[in-house]
Amino acid sequence: MPRKIKNIAVIVSDIDNEYQNNIIKGIKKYSEEYDVNVASFIAFTGYFSNMRHDIGEYNIYNLINFDYFDGVILVTNTITSPTMQKRIFSKIRETGIPAVSINFDIEDFYSICIDNEKAMENIVRHFVGHHGCRTINYISGPLGNPESNQRINAYRRVLAEYGIPTDERRIFYGTFLGEDGPVAVNDFIKSGLPMPEVIICANDEMALTTILELQKQGYNVPNDIMVSGFDNIYSARTNSPKLTTVECPHLLSGYHACKIIQGHYDGVNQPRYMTLNTTPIYSESCGCDTGISDDITEFRKKNFLNLKMYST
């Protein structure tokens, strides 16, 4: 008789970002439907530019007894330390339980990813082909991050296709955190180059703060400078202007990760590597509007909860 999974470990860092939260929501949805216990091991790193702090945070991963769990889900690209990644991978392999890595392909684990390059190509081509842009700045994620590398590679490739030279002065390497947006905008201003027609950002967190900083500096988005992001987080949909971005199935990836672990014990013939589809959304921050309306009830509810939190 197939073994029903009872306990799943989730390894993730920095869940104050909506990207991680949506993946966890998908895991939670499965766990509620199929009565599975989920234990989340969470580190908070990269906030103080202090390696000693990060090492202390990563200690939570050393507490995991993998023998207790039927499977592991790793939001691998949120763990920025290669040393800690290798240590975690090694312990999982020693235990022999199935593991699913989300948005980071690990050779002998199940992996659920999106096609980052195709998704970013669609965004860059939209600005070049539809809007006729020739000066396109880019705010990247960290250099060592595979998703970040795939997205910036797509940016470079599309510019080359259209005969637009890549100017390294028009690229800012960030960390995927919102604090990068203002720093990047000021970096572009100080470069002495003419301001771009568009700033493409590797995620929504950086794009939203980029818009705020541009507005602070007196630029209108999208009339003066267009902006795009990646992930389609809730704030991207409720921001003014609404953000041109990429819809990614993060909740679905969390849900599917649980299904893969159960399928492993059921003997299901399932692929080691799965790619989920993304959808480009061209909206107000590039002067386009898809006509998609937001759920105003949910918007009011979330705003009320935020105000309630800050008032107590």
Side-chain angles (χ1 to χ4, degrees):
M1 182 177 178
R3 168 180 167 184
K4 181 185 181 300
I5 59 173
K6 296 179 180 178
N7 302 298
I8 291 177
V10 177
I11 300 175
V12 61
S13 183
D14 309 328
I15 60 165
D16 54 338
N17 288 330
E18 193 171 329
Y19 164 78
Q20 289 93 319
N21 262 296
N22 284 336
I23 292 172
I24 290 171
K25 283 179 184 177
I27 296 169
K28 183 172 181 285
K29 184 175 188 294
Y30 184 95
S31 70
E32 290 172 348
E33 289 178 5
Y34 294 95
D35 193 26
V36 176
N37 299 315
V38 175
S40 296
F41 297 87
I42 304 160
F44 289 88
T45 61
Y47 292 96
F48 305 107
S49 299
N50 187 322
M51 183 57 69
R52 293 173 67 183
H53 170 269
D54 291 355
I55 290 170
E57 284 291 319
Y58 281 136
N59 269 327
I60 191 167
Y61 302 141
N62 296 324
L63 302 177
I64 306 172
N65 179 0
F66 289 104
D67 290 324
Y68 178 76
F69 295 100
D70 301 303
V72 185
I73 298 171
L74 303 103
V75 190
T76 314
N77 61 350
T78 67
I79 304 164
T80 56
S81 166
T83 302
M84 181 51 67
Q85 285 183 4
K86 289 176 183 177
R87 191 177 302 167
I88 293 169
F89 301 163
S90 177
K91 287 185 177 181
I92 294 171
R93 289 174 181 127
E94 287 174 9
T95 309
I97 58 175
V100 182
S101 174
I102 293 178
N103 291 331
F104 189 110
D105 186 22
I106 303 171
E107 191 174 46
D108 51 345
F109 292 174
Y110 294 106
S111 298
I112 300 176
C113 298
I114 62 171
D115 191 337
N116 283 282
E117 299 205 15
K118 182 180 179 182
M120 184 56 79
E121 284 176 2
N122 288 333
I123 292 293
V124 182
R125 286 199 178 96
H126 177 72
F127 285 112
V128 180
H130 181 77
H131 292 286
C133 297
R134 302 291 294 182
T135 53
I136 304 174
N137 286 23
Y138 189 85
I139 301 178
S140 173
L143 278 169
N145 182 286
E147 284 195 295
S148 174
N149 292 343
Q150 290 164 6
R151 293 174 194 179
I152 195 170
N153 287 343
Y155 160 79
R156 294 179 189 277
R157 185 163 53 251
V158 174
L159 291 192
E161 286 175 11
Y162 283 89
I164 302 172
T166 300
D167 188 336
E168 289 297 320
R169 294 172 296 175
R170 293 194 175 278
I171 299 174
F172 179 89
Y173 294 93
T175 60
F176 280 142
L177 298 178
E179 63 196 40
D180 294 325
V183 179
V185 170
N186 283 283
D187 199 59
F188 295 148
I189 292 171
K190 292 173 184 176
S191 72
L193 296 171
M195 287 299 281
E197 297 164 279
V198 55
I199 299 175
I200 295 175
C201 304
N203 78 348
D204 289 346
E205 300 281 350
M206 298 188 295
L208 291 168
T209 55
T210 292
I211 290 174
L212 287 175
E213 184 61 24
L214 286 171
Q215 292 170 337
K216 180 181 174 182
Q217 297 285 351
Y219 294 97
N220 178 279
V221 178
N223 293 337
D224 297 325
I225 300 174
M226 294 176 278
V227 176
S228 71
F230 201 109
D231 287 328
N232 196 29
I233 64 176
Y234 184 78
S235 297
R237 303 192 299 275
T238 58
N239 187 63
S240 181
K242 288 189 290 186
L243 192 60
T244 289
T245 184
V246 175
E247 171 71 45
C248 300
H250 298 313
L251 191 146
L252 187 63
S253 65
Y255 190 90
H256 267 300
C258 298
K259 284 185 67 176
I260 286 170
I261 293 171
Q262 182 61 66
H264 177 89
Y265 289 108
D266 290 344
V268 174
N269 183 17
Q270 54 191 0
R272 186 199 68 80
Y273 182 91
M274 175 187 293
T275 303
L276 300 181
N277 293 326
T278 61
T279 305
I281 296 175
Y282 307 122
S283 195
E284 294 172 348
S285 70
C286 73
C288 297
D289 191 350
T290 60
I292 297 172
S293 62
D294 296 305
D295 184 348
I296 194 66
T297 302
E298 174 136 352
F299 174 74
R300 288 171 176 161
K301 178 181 175 183
K302 288 199 174 186
N303 273 344
F304 170 78
L305 291 174
N306 286 336
L307 290 169
K308 184 81 171 173
M309 180 180 68
Y310 286 122
S311 64
T312 54

